[in-house]
Structure formats: C-alpha cells, structure tokens
C-alpha cells in the first residue's frame, strides 16, 4: 500500500503458479478412460464407450475451462472424426515411440512397443525413482515390463490374460462353456466349471508368482507393481509382495505429457 497526495494505491501480487490441467485419454480394447489431472493430482476419472467421447469431453471442458493440453494413448480403435475433434480442442500429444520419454528405451523393436506399456514404465520412473521395477499389467493380456535403477527399459513379456484364457478354452474346444472369472473354491475342480476356474485362475497366479520370483533372483531389491483391470481380483491371492495401483497407466500418461511440456 502506498499513500501520496491523499491517494491510496493498493498493489496486488498475482501468482504466476496457475493451475496446469491436463486431459489424459487411454483408448483400450473395450472402453476409453478419460482423466483430468491438476498438475500431478488426479481430479476426475471416467470410462466411456467410443461413441460418447465427444459429448463427454465437451462436458469435461465446460467443468474445467483451464483444460488446454491433452495426451492420447491408443491400443484400440478410434474414429478419425474423434481424433480431429480432440485436435481442435486441445494441444494434443499422441503417444508413440517417437515421443520424448523420461527413460532410455533399449527395446530392440521400439516401434512395436505398445503405448500402454510405455506409459506404465514412465509411471514407474516417476513414482519409484532409482529402483529396479517390474510392472505387471493384468488386462486383456498379462504384460511384464522391467526398468532398472538407471532408468533403462530392457523389455519384458506378454501372455494371455484371464478373460483371454477363458475365451480360448471355449473357442478352441467343442463343449467347454465360456465362463466369467471367479476365484475357485478349491484347487481340485470337481466339475467342468470348477476345473476351468481352477486352471485359469491358479494358472495366472502361479505364472505371476513364478515370474516375480525369477526377477527377484536377479534383482533382489525389486519393486513390483500390479495394475490393470484384473489387478484387484488377483492381488489378494498372490504370495509375492506387490504394490497394487489401479491408476498407474493414467499417471504415466500425465507424466509423459508434463515431461514434454517442461522440456
């Protein structure tokens, strides 16, 4: 406050730390996940069908007028008209192997590395710095991705997920039914349905524990993250110590976007 010649001047200091809000779009095989981040904080999350995305994004923009930057990761199909709409509404980053990443990608075929896997590795760099990390995504497929404490991504493995295994038993046999996932009551299935549940679920659980143990023989201080649609279903049954993180992929996408904005 300054007084001169009977006039009082009041000076206001305006903060330059305005809210930086990002829209994250994860196009999966069945649904599209939308998330709004205020810097690094997740403030909104929705899962929608592809045909409703334009309507939903329009509503989100009305609620969050500071939303001007976005990133999209797509392993599923997205209509060209939807992509054109998103490009008209945001400064849009389309995730690919060519995007600047917060880690060194040593995958021998980087252009074939799924963008969902790229996002998960980025999230591990953000949340588990200077650690050896195994990220397991239990979704349509089971994916295993490893990054060392030097931030070098070395690769991993891909195998069928729970639902794919149920589907395969039904599709490639004449009489086996198609079942929904269910935790088996017993190891020994006393009916066809019980035997399928035992084979699928215990098969996945033993695969997960086996792979984790193999990695821990090589990297004793390993941190293990389990994420994806089946993570909650599987996490309580695993013998290995893990971090079950449901929003890990979305957080990784936001980190990649922030990383590119700041560079």
């Amino acid at each position: 406050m300054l007084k001169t010649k009977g006039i009082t001047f009041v000076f206001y200091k305006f903060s330059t730390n305005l809210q930086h809000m990002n829209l994250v779009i994860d196009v999966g095989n069945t649904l599209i996940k939308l998330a709004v981040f205020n810097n690094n904080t997740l403030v909104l999350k929705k899962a929608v069908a592809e045909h409703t995305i334009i309507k939903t994004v329009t509503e989100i923009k009305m609620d969050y007028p500071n939303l001007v930057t976005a990133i999209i990761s797509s392993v599923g199909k997205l209509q060209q008209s939807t992509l054109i709409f998103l490009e008209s509404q945001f400064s849009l980053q389309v995730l690919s192997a060519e995007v600047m990443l917060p880690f060194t990608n040593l995958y021998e075929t980087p252009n074939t590395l799924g963008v969902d896997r790229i996002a998960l590795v980025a999230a591990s760099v953000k949340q588990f710095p200077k650690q050896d990390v195994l990220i397991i995504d239990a979704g349509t497929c089971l994916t295993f991705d490893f990054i060392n404490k030097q931030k070098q991504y070395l690769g991993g493995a891909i195998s069928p997920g729970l639902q794919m295994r149920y589907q395969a038993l039904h599709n490639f046999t004449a009489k086996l039914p198609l079942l929904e996932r269910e935790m088996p009551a017993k190891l020994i299935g006393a009916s066809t349905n019980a035997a399928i549940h035992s084979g699928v679920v215990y098969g996945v659980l033993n695969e997960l524990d086996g792979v984790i143990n193999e990695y821990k023989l090589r990297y004793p201080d390993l941190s293990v993250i389990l994420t994806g649609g089946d993570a909650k279903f599987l996490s309580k049954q695993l013998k290995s110590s893990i971090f079950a993180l449901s929003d890990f992929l979305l957080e990784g996408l936001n980190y990649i976007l922030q990383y590119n904005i700041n560079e």
Side-chain angles (χ1 to χ4, degrees):
M1 183 181 294
L2 175 65
K3 292 185 178 180
T4 179
K5 295 183 179 180
I7 302 174
T8 301
F9 295 89
V10 180
F11 297 92
Y12 294 95
K13 183 178 180 180
F14 292 95
S15 171
T16 58
N17 185 26
L18 298 175
Q19 283 186 331
H20 188 90
M21 307 197 82
N22 298 324
L23 177 66
V24 167
I25 307 166
D26 171 33
V27 183
N29 291 305
T30 53
L31 291 174
I32 297 174
K33 293 180 182 177
L34 302 169
V36 175
F37 283 84
N38 180 6
N39 292 314
N40 295 316
T41 303
L42 179 64
V43 296
L44 176 73
K45 182 175 69 171
K46 290 188 175 184
V48 299
E50 200 276 339
H51 71 275
T52 67
I53 187 171
I54 292 178
K55 176 178 180 290
T56 305
V57 169
T58 301
E59 292 170 351
I60 290 173
K61 278 207 75 173
M62 292 178 64
D63 292 336
Y64 299 95
N66 290 336
L67 204 55
V68 294
T69 52
I71 185 169
I72 185 167
S73 161
S74 179
V75 297
K77 293 181 179 180
L78 192 68
Q79 296 287 337
Q80 186 65 24
S81 58
T82 302
L83 187 59
I84 291 171
F85 165 78
L86 294 171
E87 289 175 334
S88 72
Q89 299 296 309
F90 304 98
S91 173
L92 184 67
Q93 176 83 69
V94 179
L95 182 57
S96 71
E98 284 72 41
V99 169
M100 192 162 48
L101 299 172
F103 58 87
T104 303
N105 188 355
L106 298 181
Y107 207 56
E108 292 181 0
T109 55
N111 290 328
T112 68
L113 181 61
V115 288
D116 52 340
R117 297 173 69 190
I118 291 173
L120 291 171
V121 174
S124 74
V125 172
K126 172 73 172 176
Q127 295 196 33
F128 298 85
K130 298 181 180 179
Q131 295 184 43
D132 296 321
V133 182
L134 177 65
I135 311 109
I136 304 170
D137 185 8
T140 303
C141 294
L142 289 179
T143 61
F144 301 83
D145 291 290
F146 177 76
I147 185 165
N148 63 23
K149 59 186 64 177
Q150 289 79 36
K151 296 200 297 187
Q152 296 171 319
Y153 172 69
L154 302 184
I158 306 171
S159 71
L162 278 172
Q163 193 55 44
M164 192 181 293
R165 297 182 194 212
Y166 280 114
Q167 192 81 46
L169 289 173
H170 174 67
N171 289 348
F172 293 103
T173 64
K175 295 184 177 180
L176 291 182
L178 177 60
L179 303 179
E180 294 295 322
R181 69 179 188 186
E182 180 181 304
M183 191 58 64
K186 299 177 182 178
L187 175 63
I188 301 173
S191 68
T192 297
N193 284 13
I196 291 173
H197 288 308
S198 179
V200 170
V201 176
Y202 284 124
V204 168
L205 289 171
N206 282 292
E207 178 181 343
L208 293 176
D209 277 321
V211 170
I212 292 169
N213 289 336
E214 285 293 323
Y215 271 88
K216 285 187 173 179
L217 289 174
R218 295 163 175 78
Y219 304 94
D221 297 325
L222 184 74
S223 294
V224 182
I225 295 102
L226 179 64
T227 189
D230 289 325
K232 185 176 180 181
F233 177 79
L234 295 168
S235 60
K236 294 180 182 179
Q237 307 301 321
L238 286 172
K239 298 173 185 176
S240 304
S241 177
I242 61 166
F243 297 95
L245 304 171
S246 60
D247 298 321
F248 207 58
L249 191 148
L250 299 173
E251 290 166 0
L253 290 171
N254 183 62
Y255 181 45
I256 291 172
L257 181 55
Q258 294 276 58
Y259 184 79
N260 279 266
I261 289 171
N262 294 333
E263 286 294 321

